[in-house]
Amino acid sequence: MSPFRRERPPVCLGPLASLPEDVPTRVGTSPPVAILRHGDTVHVFEDRCPHAGAILSRGTLTNEHLTCPAHKATFEIATGRSLGPIPCRPLRTYKSWTENNLVYHSPSPRPTRKSNASPCPNQP
Ligand code: FES
């Protein structure tokens, strides 16, 4: 068995113009990820709320802040940072890029920094 782990290939999301603009949209299920296109920028993030697993793409978007439909935890889409009111770990985000007018994202989330934030509390 090889000691090297094989990298998974990037995930193609299709042409930039085909992605809905300013509407969080689920695009994958394993793991569930969602995209948010704003102009030429595409953010890719996990589509499960770190608090209790609600589907974030069904949440409310205000500027680039997404509020979970279940208990209103809010996240900054570009960085995944948790903005409260529930103290939660950050959202996992994925690097995305455009090549020959096709949008791709990394199959693995960006590494997250260790945080002193308390873990998500249990579901209320
Ligand atoms: S599941 Fe999202 S805030 Fe509770």
Side-chain angles (χ1 to χ4, degrees):
M1 180 191 281
S2 169
F4 301 105
R5 211 172 128 185
R6 197 166 178 190
E7 283 291 317
R8 291 185 295 160
V11 178
C12 183
L13 297 170
L16 181 66
S18 72
L19 303 179
E21 184 149 16
D22 293 327
V23 178
T25 306
R26 180 175 273 206
V27 294
T29 55
S30 183
V33 295
I35 60 164
L36 176 65
R37 177 169 84 93
H38 185 71
D40 290 346
T41 304
V42 177
H43 300 292
V44 183
F45 52 95
E46 65 180 314
D47 197 19
R48 270 202 197 127
C49 181
H51 176 231
I55 298 173
L56 282 172
S57 57
R58 294 183 183 163
T60 306
L61 183 69
T62 308
N63 297 321
E64 294 212 351
H65 297 166
L66 185 61
T67 300
C68 177
H71 312 109
K72 310 303 179 203
T74 300
F75 301 92
E76 187 177 67
I77 290 303
T79 63
R81 188 167 61 109
S82 172
L83 302 173
I86 297 171
C88 250
R89 72 160 171 79
L91 274 185
R92 292 185 182 100
T93 61
Y94 297 75
K95 180 182 174 191
S96 68
W97 65 95
T98 303
E99 200 174 298
N100 299 324
N101 203 36
L102 294 173
V103 179
Y104 294 87
H105 77 81
S106 166
S108 304
R110 292 184 175 104
T112 52
R113 280 196 222 144
K114 282 262 185 205
S115 165
N116 292 333
S118 21
C120 300
N122 291 337
Q123 214 174 346

